[in-house]
Structure formats: C-alpha cells, structure tokens
C-alpha cells in the first residue's frame, strides 16, 4: 500500500481543496507555498518550532485515562489527549506559532486573522505579542457583542479588533474583510488562518502544524496501554484538532477515525453546523469542500451551542477522508454535548470545552458497546472555562 501523502502539489485531496481565489491573491499564495515548502524541511525552523511548543505552550500534553468514567460505562477504556492543558487553553496555539514563525522568516511584520468565537483571535494575538508582530483581528460586530471577554483579551494582548458591520455581522463577513485586507496589504502582511481550510497551502500547512497532537499520541498511547488505540475521536468545526490527531494515524488501518460534528438541535432541524453529515459540495473560503448552502449556493446560517464548531464548511481533507471512508463522521446535539460537559466535570474533575464535549459525548456512547480491553482516544481540544456562561444560560442560571 502507498503511504498517505495528500494533498498533491496543487493542493487537491481527491476532488476537494485547491485554490479558488481572486487573481490579486495568486502572488501572495505562491510566495507562501514557496516559503512553506522551504521551511518545512529546514532543521533550524523545525528546531525553533519544537522549542516554542515545549517552552511557550508546555508540550508534550499528557494523555489521561478517564478511569472512573470508563468503569461506570462498563466497556472500552476512554483516554483524553489533554490539549486543554496548553498555554491559552486549546490546540489553536500550535498552529498560530507555526504561522507566526513563518511570517517572521518571510519578513512580514504584520499579521491579520478573522475570528468568530474569538478563540483563534486570542491565539493569534498571543503569538503576535510573543514575536513582536502587529496584529489586526476582524470580527463580525454581532460576535464582538457576544464575545466581549475574548475581545478584551485580544486588546490586552495588544491586538486591534476591527468590528465588521456587513452581512450577518458574523464569521463569514469577518472572513471577507480579512481577505480584503490581505489583498491590500499583501507586501507586509501574513494572514493567519485558524483551521484546516482556506486555499492551498493552508489546509496542509495547518494540518502539519497540528499533527504534533497525533505524533505525541503515537508515542504515548502504547507506553500507557501497550497498544495503539482502536478509535480516535475528535470534534470537527473546521477540522484542525481532528486532522492534527488523525493524520499520523491514517496509515494505521486498524485505528478507526471518527469526526464529530455539531448536530445542534438535530440534523433535520436546519439548526446545526454539520457540513459533512448534511451539506453538499461547494466552494467556501477558497477551497472545494462540503458546505451548508441553499439551492442557490448561498451559505446558510449555522447553529451550535459551541461557538467554535459553528462554521458552515469543513476542511477539504475531511471531505476526502469521508468519501474514501477512511474516517467516519457523526453528529452530536447541543443537549448531548451539554450532558457530556456536566458528566465530565463530575466524574473526572475536568471541565472540557463545549467543542470537545461533542467528541466526549460520542466516546461515551461508543464505549459501552465495546469490550473492556478496547481503547478510545478522545481529543480534548480545549478547556471549558470560556463556556461557563453558555452552560449556565442553558441551565437557566444567571451568573
Ligand atoms: C476552535 C476550536 C475547535 C474547532 O476547531 P477545529 O479547527 O475543528 O479544531 C474545537 N475545540 C476547541 C477547544 C476550539 O477552540
């Protein structure tokens, strides 16, 4: 069997991916592709990346046996990959460091990003402060209002937050503004994309920076359990924590990969964010993938209790893994995720992000159907402190 080596040199994962952008961005993307292919092989770049992950992020993150919960469920053993223990509380920082180091080497003193829930904005503002880069974050004005504490966090870190008043005033409008900024300021500006989406080379580059998650697991799981896991389960918004933990396992045919999408109020409700389960093929954010769109190709409004999963598309590599059946994609509803959040707090003393709670909820469904010697590895992509207000609101409690 040929080892897995996608994308091809034009950024295709089978029929997905590629680069659908205006002509004004072609030069910038060519420049980025050239820089990335140079530095990904550069030992000095890799050394600095590894150093930063260790000393700034606190890697490697441990794996953790959810022993009490596994015993209660009476089936397979559930293990967490603890990305929640990273500096800034989630996996997003891994990728932001990689792109910031690249920006510096490319001589770009200014970075821009777009953010919905604000988590990618915070991670970008963090690395900009760390490396002395100017930072501008675009955010829909509706999101600015909803995510006030993340907006303040970005400002404390020295970033400029630009509220976007067009369209529905949310993520997709912020994305358009960030693109516009990049076209205008391409000489001195690096666009830090927060997930495995965007035009080539972003989906592959972000995956490579996040693959540290799975690379550590490949070493850690056999040390603790004597074997590789039987299942790897991760929440999928754009898909970066999932691609990061899946990618090193793709050639391990016995390891089943399961991505968990936000089914919101149910897959048949139209109030969800499950592009792979309920979307159709289209073009979004410069690549071909599964998209939640109406019959005229207009991108739909999405819903999830978890702001970080509330995205109308998905990285093109997931589209390919779905069609090729190397990975399976399921949905978890808001109420199932909230139940998993509360149970995880009570049973393990860990408050997971609501995004991660989707993955945990699926693992908790799966475990009792399996023998006790099976291992389910769950990507605990982030910590849940940021979600306390949302959880309280759903419980009818005012903080
Ligand atoms: C942003 C986020 C996600 C979703 O993004 P992916 O690119 O799909 O990983 C998941 N978990 C946490 C904690 C996040 O902050």
């Amino acid at each position: 069997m040929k080892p897995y080596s996608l994308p091809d040199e034009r950024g295709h994962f089978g029929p997905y991916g590629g680069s659908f952008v205006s002509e004004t961005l072609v030069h910038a993307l060519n420049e980025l592709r050239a820089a990335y292919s140079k530095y990904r092989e550069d030992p000095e770049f890799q050394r600095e990346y590894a150093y930063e992950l260790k000393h700034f992020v606190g890697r490697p993150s441990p794996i953790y046996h959810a022993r009490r919960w596994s015993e209660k469920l009476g089936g397979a053993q559930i293990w967490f990959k603890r990305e929640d223990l990273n500096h800034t509380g989630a996996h997003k920082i891994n990728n932001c460091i990689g792109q910031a180091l690249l920006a510096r080497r490319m001589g770009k003193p200014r970075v821009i990003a777009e953010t919905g829930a604000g988590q990618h904005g915070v991670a970008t503002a963090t690395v900009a402060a760390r490396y002395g880069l100017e930072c501008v974050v675009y955010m829909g004005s509706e999101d600015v209002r909803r995510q006030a504490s993340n907006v303040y966090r970005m400002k404390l870190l020295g970033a400029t937050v630009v509220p976007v008043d067009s369209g529905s005033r949310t993520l997709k409008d912020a994305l358009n503004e960030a693109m516009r900024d990049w076209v205008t300021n391409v000489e001195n500006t690096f666009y830090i994309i927060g997930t495995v989406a965007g035009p080539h080379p972003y989906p592959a580059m972000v995956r490579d920076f996040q693959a540290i998650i799975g690379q550590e697991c490949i070493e850690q799981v056999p040390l603790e359990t004597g074997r590789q896991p039987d299942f790897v389960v991760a929440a999928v918004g754009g898909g970066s924590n999932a691609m990061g933990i899946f990618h090193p396992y793709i050639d391990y045919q016995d390891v089943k990969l399961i991505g968990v999408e936000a089914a919101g109020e149910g897959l048949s409700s139209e109030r969800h964010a499950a592009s792979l389960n309920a979307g159709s093929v289209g073009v979004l954010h410069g690549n071909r993938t599964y998209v939640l769109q109406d019959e005229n190709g207009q991108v739909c409004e999405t819903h999830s209790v978890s702001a970080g999963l509330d995205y109308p598309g998905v990285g093109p590599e997931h589209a390919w893994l779905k069609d090729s059946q190397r990975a399976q994609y399921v949905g978890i509803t808001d109420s199932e995720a909230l139940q998993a959040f509360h149970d995880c707090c009570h049973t393990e003393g860990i408050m997971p992000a609501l995004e991660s709670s989707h993955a945990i909820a699926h693992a908790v469904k799966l475990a009792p159907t399996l023998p006790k010697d099976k291992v389910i590895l769950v990507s605990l992509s982030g910590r849940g402190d940021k979600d306390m207000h949302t959880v309280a609101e759903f419980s009818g409690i005012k903080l």
Side-chain angles (χ1 to χ4, degrees):
M1 215 196 73
K2 273 209 315 237
Y4 184 85
S5 65
L6 291 177
D8 67 15
E9 77 274 10
R10 287 167 57 228
H12 294 124
F13 302 88
Y16 304 109
S19 186
F20 296 80
V21 294
S22 66
E23 225 174 282
T24 39
L25 282 179
V26 170
H27 173 68
L29 285 165
N30 284 340
E31 189 187 36
L32 176 60
R33 280 194 278 273
Y36 183 56
S37 35
K38 173 175 167 201
Y39 289 114
R40 67 181 296 190
E41 311 289 338
D42 177 31
E44 176 49 31
F45 181 86
Q46 290 303 334
R47 193 204 56 75
E48 188 178 5
Y49 182 55
Y51 182 92
E52 295 296 298
L53 290 182
K54 180 171 176 199
H55 295 275
F56 190 57
V57 180
R59 303 201 74 90
S61 66
I63 57 166
Y64 164 85
H65 188 187
R67 194 186 308 262
R68 254 168 46 79
W69 208 354
S70 304
E71 262 167 34
K72 268 195 185 170
L73 294 165
Q77 304 307 305
I78 297 176
W79 288 74
F80 295 152
K81 175 62 171 168
R82 299 289 309 272
E83 292 299 297
D84 61 316
L85 295 179
N86 293 341
H87 176 47
T88 68
H91 66 291
K92 286 191 172 74
I93 191 83
N94 303 328
N95 164 52
C96 287
I97 287 178
Q99 292 192 48
L101 294 182
L102 204 51
R104 272 209 319 198
R105 279 173 172 70
M106 292 173 71
K108 312 272 184 190
R110 179 175 181 268
V111 296
I112 58 170
E114 94 288 323
T115 194
Q119 288 141 239
H120 176 56
V122 170
T124 302
T126 300
V127 299
R130 166 79 186 87
Y131 303 112
L133 302 163
E134 183 192 341
C135 179
V136 176
V137 178
Y138 291 91
M139 195 168 182
S141 52
E142 181 57 22
D143 288 333
V144 168
R145 190 186 59 76
R146 286 190 294 203
Q147 312 287 345
S149 63
N150 270 342
V151 172
Y152 187 50
R153 220 168 259 151
M154 287 182 251
K155 290 182 177 167
L156 287 174
L157 290 160
T160 305
V161 179
V162 180
V164 176
D165 270 323
S166 55
S168 55
R169 306 190 173 112
T170 58
L171 180 62
K172 53 182 172 18
D173 314 295
L175 218 135
N176 292 336
E177 278 307 307
M179 281 282 188
R180 223 162 278 154
D181 180 312
W182 201 29
V183 170
T184 315
N185 301 297
V186 69
E187 280 314 312
N188 73 346
T189 297
F190 190 106
Y191 181 19
I192 299 189
I193 292 187
T195 191
V196 284
H200 179 53
Y202 283 101
M205 180 171 72
V206 175
R207 172 200 72 194
D208 292 347
F209 287 137
Q210 292 291 3
I212 184 68
I213 305 173
Q215 286 155 6
E216 288 173 1
C217 291
I218 286 215
E219 307 279 321
Q220 292 168 322
V221 178
L223 284 178
E224 300 294 331
T225 72
R227 55 191 298 188
Q228 292 297 352
D230 300 280
F231 293 85
V232 178
V233 182
V236 176
S240 68
N241 86 93
M243 254 351 286
I245 197 168
F246 286 178
H247 188 255
Y249 281 110
I250 289 179
D251 282 332
Y252 289 69
Q253 292 297 328
D254 294 337
V255 180
K256 296 192 178 64
L257 309 175
I258 304 180
V260 183
E261 293 193 306
E265 294 174 7
L267 288 178
S268 49
S269 71
E270 291 189 2
R271 298 251 310 151
H272 61 73
S275 332
L276 288 165
N277 276 283
S280 53
V281 175
V283 170
L284 182 70
H285 303 169
N287 68 90
R288 177 182 279 116
T289 186
Y290 282 86
V291 181
L292 291 169
Q293 56 191 340
D294 65 19
E295 54 283 0
N296 300 318
Q298 293 299 306
V299 174
C300 301
E301 284 295 318
T302 52
H303 161 82
S304 169
V305 65
S306 143
L309 300 182
D310 204 348
Y311 174 70
V314 64
E317 193 164 12
H318 286 293
W320 168 247
L321 291 175
K322 172 189 159 79
D323 283 11
S324 65
Q325 298 181 6
R326 178 61 190 94
Q328 182 198 351
Y329 294 88
V330 300
I332 283 288
T333 63
D334 288 349
S335 55
E336 290 172 321
L338 284 161
Q339 186 64 52
F341 173 94
H342 287 294
D343 291 346
C344 191
C345 289
H346 283 184
T347 317
E348 298 296 341
I350 294 173
M351 194 180 292
L354 282 175
E355 293 86 359
S356 322
S357 300
H358 285 71
I360 296 171
H362 186 70
V364 166
K365 272 190 191 173
L366 188 61
T369 70
L370 297 166
K372 289 191 174 151
D373 64 340
K374 297 284 181 190
V375 173
I376 304 174
L377 175 65
V378 182
S379 171
L380 212 176
S381 51
R383 65 174 180 233
D385 310 52
K386 68 181 177 59
D387 295 317
M388 276 196 307
H389 280 87
T390 308
V391 172
E393 204 174 293
F394 266 78
S395 311
I397 294 165
K398 200 148 169 42
L399 292 188

